[in-house]
Amino acid sequence: RKMTFIMNVLDCTLGTIGIPMNLILTIAIIFAKGTHLKAYSLILFHSAVTVLTEVIVELLAMTRMMAEFPYLVYIFEGFCTHIGTAVCQISMQLELHLMFHSILLIAVSFWYRNVVLTGIYPSFVKTQSVILAILLPTILSTYILTWSNDSVNILPHFYPDINLSDVIHVGANFNNHHNKIVGVWTINAPMVAYGFIFYFRRQVHRTRKMHSSLLRVSHCSFPRQKKAQALSYHALLPSLSILGIFAFLAQNLGVQHPAIERVAYMSCSIPPAINPVLTLYFVGPYRR
């Protein structure tokens, strides 16, 4: 219970930062002036709303994930436990969708910057179409996730003294064909996103002229070195979510601890807390 309290405090701290900062960023995006920001602001608006919702559902669920492949077992310790199992399940599924969508949106933002460097400004409609294209597979993979009752048999294996009536728990069997699709998407979506992010990040800095063009478009008032840092920080943010992958691998190797179980999902709340701060700091119109 002590570890649960510590992890809950960390979760609430991330929420205390992430919720107001993303609300402020959303308001700044809506009221910022400048037609040059219209399409890019659409990406940032989607991102802000996505991660804002992600932080909220993480506070609702506060999911502990136990892995004994092909089974995954989830215990919920968030505010949803005062409402019901269905709310906990929906919150976790929604968070699963949002965490991958937010990473893909960062890849889209780097795609936009790279296209702008070529002298082409993607239209509002084209940008929205790209966002919808990455939205569909994450929605589908979330929708087809199928629950099972395996948690009843597996939880006592991890915690022999557990009273199942005291916790809200569910399971997922990845021998299920629907869940296999979810598993494939879960593994490949971040890899594809990271690949695009670092490819476009490299393209942005290919030449001094191209980089200067991006800085003019961004309308920032910082030295070039700090603007380069902004891109680096933005590119590295999704990699914080790799903590969740390490937690999953550690459990399958037999390393079991309540903190590791919580990190699998809580780590995905770190980028949503940091990203709006970086955006507000480095993007001039929003900062003003």
Side-chain angles (χ1 to χ4, degrees):
R1 289 191 177 274
K2 182 180 179 181
M3 182 55 64
T4 296
F5 174 77
I6 293 172
M7 300 307 287
N8 285 353
V9 169
L10 290 174
D11 238 333
C12 289
T13 300
L14 290 171
T16 302
I17 299 170
I19 291 174
M21 293 310 298
N22 279 290
L23 281 173
I24 292 170
L25 177 58
T26 302
I27 294 169
I29 291 170
I30 292 172
F31 290 100
K33 296 180 180 179
T35 55
H36 63 279
L37 283 172
K38 187 176 180 182
Y40 188 58
S41 291
L42 177 66
I43 301 171
L44 295 182
F45 179 79
H46 274 273
S47 181
V49 172
T50 296
V51 298
L52 172 62
T53 311
E54 185 181 344
V55 172
I56 293 172
V57 294
E58 167 60 21
L59 291 176
L60 276 174
M62 293 187 182
T63 307
R64 284 171 60 183
M65 184 185 76
M66 281 142 279
E68 191 175 72
F69 203 77
Y71 303 102
L72 294 181
V73 176
Y74 306 93
I75 292 179
F76 302 105
E77 298 180 333
F79 296 103
C80 70
T81 56
H82 302 291
I83 306 172
T85 303
V87 175
C88 292
Q89 289 175 303
I90 293 170
S91 297
M92 199 223 77
Q93 280 185 274
L94 185 57
E95 184 177 9
L96 185 67
H97 157 69
L98 294 169
M99 69 172 69
F100 292 121
H101 187 58
S102 63
I103 294 172
L104 290 168
L105 280 171
I106 294 178
V108 172
S109 74
F110 274 85
W111 159 80
Y112 182 90
R113 297 170 189 181
N114 188 63
V115 173
V116 166
L117 291 177
T118 66
I120 301 171
Y121 291 80
S123 67
F124 188 88
V125 173
K126 183 175 182 178
T127 305
Q128 181 64 65
S129 299
V130 172
I131 293 172
L132 286 175
I134 66 167
L135 180 65
L136 292 176
T138 54
I139 288 179
L140 177 62
S141 65
T142 304
Y143 177 75
I144 66 175
L145 178 65
T146 305
W147 301 107
S148 70
N149 294 320
D150 297 296
S151 57
V152 174
N153 299 319
I154 296 175
L155 271 176
H157 169 71
F158 290 112
Y159 299 102
D161 299 327
I162 193 170
N163 185 345
L164 294 176
S165 62
D166 288 342
V167 296
I168 293 182
H169 57 90
V170 294
N173 184 345
F174 279 78
N175 278 327
N176 178 290
H177 291 305
H178 285 177
N179 289 348
K180 285 180 180 178
I181 296 173
V182 176
V184 170
W185 175 249
T186 300
I187 293 170
N188 287 284
M191 293 174 60
V192 171
Y194 296 154
F196 277 111
I197 287 169
F198 289 111
Y199 170 76
F200 289 130
R201 167 70 172 79
R202 187 176 180 182
Q203 290 294 99
V204 163
H205 288 294
R206 283 182 62 188
T207 67
R208 181 183 298 270
K209 181 180 178 181
M210 293 171 73
H211 183 50
S212 298
S213 172
L214 176 65
L215 304 185
R216 287 195 296 272
V217 171
S218 298
H219 286 255
C220 293
S221 56
F222 290 103
R224 177 175 291 128
Q225 183 180 3
K226 280 203 170 185
K227 292 164 185 172
Q229 289 175 355
L231 292 175
S232 298
Y233 295 151
H234 200 195
L236 289 173
L237 266 182
S239 63
L240 294 173
S241 303
I242 203 169
L243 292 172
I245 298 174
F246 285 147
F248 173 78
L249 293 174
Q251 290 186 70
N252 279 286
L253 291 173
V255 182
Q256 206 69 40
H257 192 276
I260 295 176
E261 295 164 3
R262 278 291 290 274
V263 163
Y265 271 78
M266 192 179 72
S267 62
C268 296
S269 293
I270 301 175
I274 300 174
N275 186 52
V277 178
L278 293 178
T279 304
L280 286 166
Y281 180 69
F282 283 109
V283 182
Y286 302 150
R287 186 174 68 254
R288 288 190 292 273

